[in-house]
Amino acid sequence: MARIFVPADAAARAVGADKVASEIQAQAAKRSLRVDIIRTGSRGLFWLEPMIEVETAAGRIAYGPVRPEDVSSLFDAGLLIAAAHPLRLGRPEELSYLKRQTRLTFARCGIVDPLSLEDYRTHGGYRGLQRALSLGPAGIVEEVTKSGLRGRGGAGFPTGIKWKTVADTPAERKYIVCNADEGDSGTFADRMLLEGDPFVLIEGMTIAGIAVGATKGFIYIRSEYPDAIRVTTQAIAIAREAGYLGSKLAGSSHAFDLEVRMGAGAYVCGEETALLESLEGKRGTVRAKPPLPAHKGLFAMPTVINNLISLASVPVILSEGAANYADLGMGRSRGTMPIQIAGNVRHGGLFEAAFGLTLGEIVMDIGGGAASGRHVRAVQAGGPLGAYFPPSLFDTPYDYEAFAARDGLLGHGGLVVFDDSVDMARMARFALEFCAIESCGKCTPCRIGSTRGTEVMDRVMAGHDREANLALLEDLCQTLKFGSLCALGGFTPYPVMSALKHFPEDFGRAPNRDVHAHAAAE
Amino acid sequence: MLPILHALQDEFGYVPQAALPMIAEALNVSRAEVHGVVSFYHDFRDKPAGRHVLKLCRAEACQSMHGEAMAEKLLRDIGLEWGGTTGDGRLTVEATYCLGLCASAPAAMLDGQPIGRLNQEALLDLAHDARHQQEGRR
């Protein structure tokens, strides 16, 4: 029976993948052909979605983007023998967008049935756990430390050091918490992995549990991701049934179990201490640090709280070895990062690569420039708290330190591309407004400063006493940056000040000369 | 407390005031604390929504594809503010900040189903259908 793979990723469903799947079923039935439709995650080439694949002796052959009304002509052309058709893309692995990637964390995403443990194991799954069990707790922590893995949520803290702190803190209970409250605009890596390969997260969290002596884990997923919540909940039940969770997991003496918890639409709960408060059933307000969550986290117990991508990168680090991972990257940024290219961009999607590509290569070369066909004017890197980069900074290498040196941040790996129709004063105002909407209210700079900042921007945009108001804005941003309790208030100045610095003409100031030089060079 | 509040909203479409003292008693917390939690999170409603709920993303990636102008036109056409419900009780339009469909912007979610690559016409059609289509099942 011919096997056809159709993504069930929310972004594929959002552009008609379900209708394509049912049309394939209907057309096959009409022609008395037997097909087995397997719903997978997405390969992450979103401009080609829905991208379907048919299995042949020579590997899979992809077609896309397929609309429901294309299915009949695909069958007429000979879809099941992977025959020629205007939508035929060839082997997906040979598409340059995928060929140029180094897929470690996302090795299986878009390929396997996300709820098939057999698929998972066939494609290298649970080899990391096997090696982890042979290394033992201290050995695991050492391996993760040697890999150079740093927090993929944005802070970039070394994962191994965090784990060692929890491992060295004696307590009757410890927890592993996965931060899957992926609220940054321009990011979707967590969602893709939860929908496309949830077992890799389960395996990573299990390894973390063994490493630090925790027996219980929580996956905190935002409510905007209903598909991810459903798939992950099912995957946990399947893993438990197969003995990969629970007591004496995988035949070892270790116990570990997992639970999914759903957020409720609060961006600030992506901040680790607010997330812990939320998990405890409270308002998602930020906690003052110290104590660190590693000492006193969930229910005041030592807690490893990591971003989903950090935890999901652990299995491949263990199975292939720390050196294999640490060999990739540049400077202190080791391994790979799933870069998410989004917004007004021709080839938007997930691009997992070693650190070190330049921003320009990612946006112009890989992403293909603006979807609108106009000039790219700005790229916001790292979500709503990240800086706006003009094309004159496109030589910045994708690396934690290089971005920081240019007053920016990688965040969770999102890049949102804007064409030259964007009004950067409006974007600066939006950053402040978003902070006002999402502020938890605990600290004054963030709670009050964001609202006052929005008002100041209104006056700037209306042309009232511009220079005085811009001076006030800069002063306010300093207060937010240094006076806020967490990154929400502390980083809101990044988009605001970068917009003002690089695009002063949108704020009624004289344009930067280097911007003109660059525009002339294009 | 969050799983309880989600379960209530799933059942009733909102979190009824009458439930708050019961939650307080069951969890051994004060009613003020329950109110504090319910009112903190954007998801929880204190009154029922329309039969269909359309969530439109207002975050940066969707703004870069002009989602904001499309949303404003829709709201103008059907005479709603953000968060409002049409007079016939059939459609509520809510703002959301990112659905994780940022490479398929502008994006929306209608009754939990994701929708990407919207344009003005498709968005107006979507709202029109939600208001006028006969219900398949009741």
Side-chain angles (χ1 to χ4, degrees):
Chain A
M1 189 164 17
R3 302 217 297 167
I4 299 178
F5 301 86
V6 182
D9 179 278
R13 295 184 56 230
V15 292
D18 288 350
K19 282 194 185 125
V20 169
S22 56
E23 189 60 21
I24 291 171
Q25 198 77 65
Q27 288 292 335
K30 200 171 133 191
R31 294 153 205 257
S32 307
L33 296 167
R34 290 177 60 202
V35 293
D36 186 9
I37 298 173
I38 294 141
R39 301 302 296 269
T40 61
S42 172
R43 298 258 196 180
L45 288 66
F46 287 120
W47 76 99
L48 293 175
E49 292 289 2
M51 184 173 99
I52 68 168
E53 296 174 24
V54 58
E55 191 174 61
T56 72
R60 293 192 195 174
I61 300 297
Y63 294 80
V66 179
R67 297 166 306 168
E69 54 267 36
D70 296 324
V71 174
S72 173
S73 78
L74 282 167
F75 271 96
D76 290 343
L79 174 67
L80 302 189
I81 52 162
H85 186 278
L87 295 178
R88 192 181 191 273
L89 300 165
R91 298 186 59 216
E93 297 81 7
E94 298 301 320
L95 296 170
S96 75
Y97 200 83
L98 275 173
K99 206 174 179 176
R100 294 173 68 177
Q101 300 193 36
T102 306
R103 287 239 168 157
L104 299 179
T105 310
F106 280 77
R108 279 169 298 267
C109 193
I111 297 172
V112 296
D113 173 348
L115 291 175
S116 164
L117 255 183
E118 193 191 330
D119 270 15
Y120 185 62
R121 282 186 302 233
T122 309
H123 289 83
Y126 278 118
R127 286 200 358 240
L129 177 65
Q130 208 175 13
R131 175 138 184 270
L133 287 169
S134 71
L135 287 174
I140 300 170
V141 173
E142 198 187 317
E143 195 74 355
V144 172
T145 307
K146 277 200 299 198
S147 76
L149 177 66
R150 294 166 69 182
R152 299 291 188 242
F157 189 81
T159 306
I161 293 177
K162 193 183 266 188
W163 288 20
K164 185 158 176 24
T165 310
V166 176
D168 290 346
T169 308
E172 51 177 310
R173 272 176 297 136
K174 297 179 186 179
Y175 296 102
I176 309 296
V177 174
C178 168
N179 184 347
D181 194 40
E182 183 177 54
D184 288 357
S185 178
T187 66
F188 40 78
D190 295 358
R191 184 186 60 66
M192 277 181 69
L193 211 59
L194 289 169
E195 291 174 5
D197 191 18
F199 291 122
V200 76
L201 173 64
I202 295 171
E203 182 181 353
M205 291 183 74
T206 306
I207 294 170
I210 294 167
V212 305
T215 52
K216 174 89 188 187
F218 290 95
I219 306 173
Y220 188 95
I221 308 177
R222 61 204 297 263
S223 60
E224 289 84 349
Y225 289 178
D227 291 8
I229 291 168
R230 180 175 42 77
V231 175
T232 308
T233 307
Q234 286 174 315
I236 289 171
I238 291 166
R240 194 182 292 130
E241 183 69 24
Y244 282 108
L245 288 172
S247 56
K248 298 193 169 54
L249 61 92
S252 73
S253 60
H254 297 279
F256 187 72
D257 213 338
L258 274 173
E259 211 175 296
V260 169
R261 284 299 174 87
M262 177 159 74
Y267 176 75
V268 74
C269 289
E271 197 283 335
E272 60 180 11
T273 61
L275 190 153
L276 295 175
E277 289 285 303
S278 184
L279 265 183
E280 292 179 5
K282 299 174 189 157
R283 292 163 68 89
T285 49
V286 173
R287 295 177 185 171
K289 287 190 269 192
L292 295 171
H295 291 131
K296 278 189 176 178
L298 188 62
F299 303 114
M301 294 293 159
T303 302
V304 166
I305 177 162
N306 275 140
N307 182 260
L308 183 147
I309 300 299
S310 314
L311 289 163
S313 299
V314 167
V316 72
I317 289 170
L318 268 294
S319 67
E320 306 306 313
N324 184 66
Y325 196 78
D327 280 350
L328 298 163
M330 69 175 276
R332 287 171 51 214
S333 304
R334 310 312 311 174
T336 61
M337 182 78 177
I339 302 166
Q340 298 132 79
I341 311 171
N344 195 334
V345 66
R346 194 169 286 145
H347 298 155
L350 184 117
F351 197 91
E352 181 176 354
F355 290 93
L357 289 164
T358 67
L359 184 57
E361 282 177 284
I362 300 167
V363 171
M364 302 308 295
D365 189 16
I366 296 162
S372 61
R374 301 170 66 121
H375 285 293
V376 171
R377 183 155 185 249
V379 176
Q380 188 177 27
L385 309 174
Y388 286 98
F389 282 77
S392 55
L393 294 182
F394 275 8
D395 60 340
T396 313
Y398 205 78
D399 160 82
Y400 290 100
E401 278 69 38
F403 264 58
R406 290 190 161 168
D407 294 325
L409 47 108
L410 297 186
H412 183 51
L415 296 173
V416 178
V417 181
F418 291 82
D419 71 12
D420 55 8
S421 65
V422 67
D423 175 353
M424 295 307 297
R426 209 179 146 146
M427 298 318 296
R429 187 194 180 279
F430 176 77
L432 289 156
E433 186 189 10
F434 183 74
C435 181
I437 296 169
E438 299 295 342
S439 175
C440 82
K442 182 149 177 169
C443 69
T444 316
C446 174
R447 185 182 67 243
I448 311 279
S450 52
T451 301
R452 291 290 98 86
T454 312
E455 294 161 1
V456 172
M457 272 312 298
D458 281 338
R459 292 198 289 275
V460 170
M461 289 162 79
H464 293 320
D465 213 355
R466 268 207 181 115
E467 277 312 309
N469 276 305
L470 286 174
L472 187 61
L473 182 71
E474 289 179 43
D475 188 53
L476 190 65
C477 279
Q478 289 295 311
T479 307
L480 273 167
K481 189 172 176 180
F482 296 106
S484 301
L485 208 48
C486 82
L488 179 51
F491 288 6
T492 292
Y494 280 105
V496 179
M497 295 316 293
S498 59
L500 179 59
K501 180 177 174 190
H502 301 303
F503 308 93
E505 62 275 25
D506 287 15
F507 296 75
R509 281 183 169 171
N512 289 342
R513 277 193 308 168
D514 61 327
V515 172
H516 278 287
H518 191 85
E522 265 186 15
Chain B
M1 195 178 309
L2 261 57
I4 298 174
L5 297 174
H6 276 303
L8 281 167
Q9 182 145 314
D10 277 353
E11 185 66 29
F12 298 105
Y14 69 114
V15 179
Q17 277 292 318
L20 304 191
M22 292 186 253
I23 299 170
E25 193 173 328
L27 297 180
N28 197 26
V29 295
S30 71
R31 282 168 66 172
E33 280 169 283
V34 179
H35 174 76
V37 173
V38 175
S39 56
F40 181 85
Y41 295 96
H42 300 307
D43 277 5
F44 302 125
R45 299 188 196 96
D46 57 4
K47 53 181 186 297
R51 177 172 297 172
H52 299 287
V53 177
L54 179 63
K55 290 178 189 257
L56 298 178
C57 179
R58 300 186 70 186
E60 288 89 341
C62 289
Q63 289 184 37
S64 78
M65 293 297 280
H66 311 291
E68 199 64 8
M70 291 177 206
E72 276 162 20
K73 160 111 176 98
L74 170 71
L75 291 171
R76 236 183 1 256
D77 277 16
I78 59 177
L80 286 188
E81 301 268 319
W82 286 107
T85 301
T86 52
D88 55 15
R90 294 191 61 98
L91 181 67
T92 298
V93 181
E94 291 180 344
T96 186
Y97 294 90
C98 198
L99 297 163
L101 306 171
C102 319
S104 319
M109 193 172 259
L110 180 64
D111 300 329
Q113 297 304 313
I115 303 156
R117 294 185 203 145
L118 276 168
N119 54 41
Q120 188 73 68
E121 196 190 341
L123 178 60
L124 295 175
D125 284 352
L126 204 65
H128 183 271
D129 289 352
R131 294 182 71 190
H132 298 288
Q133 228 165 40
Q134 291 299 311
E135 297 296 314
R137 55 193 158 81
R138 275 293 291 140

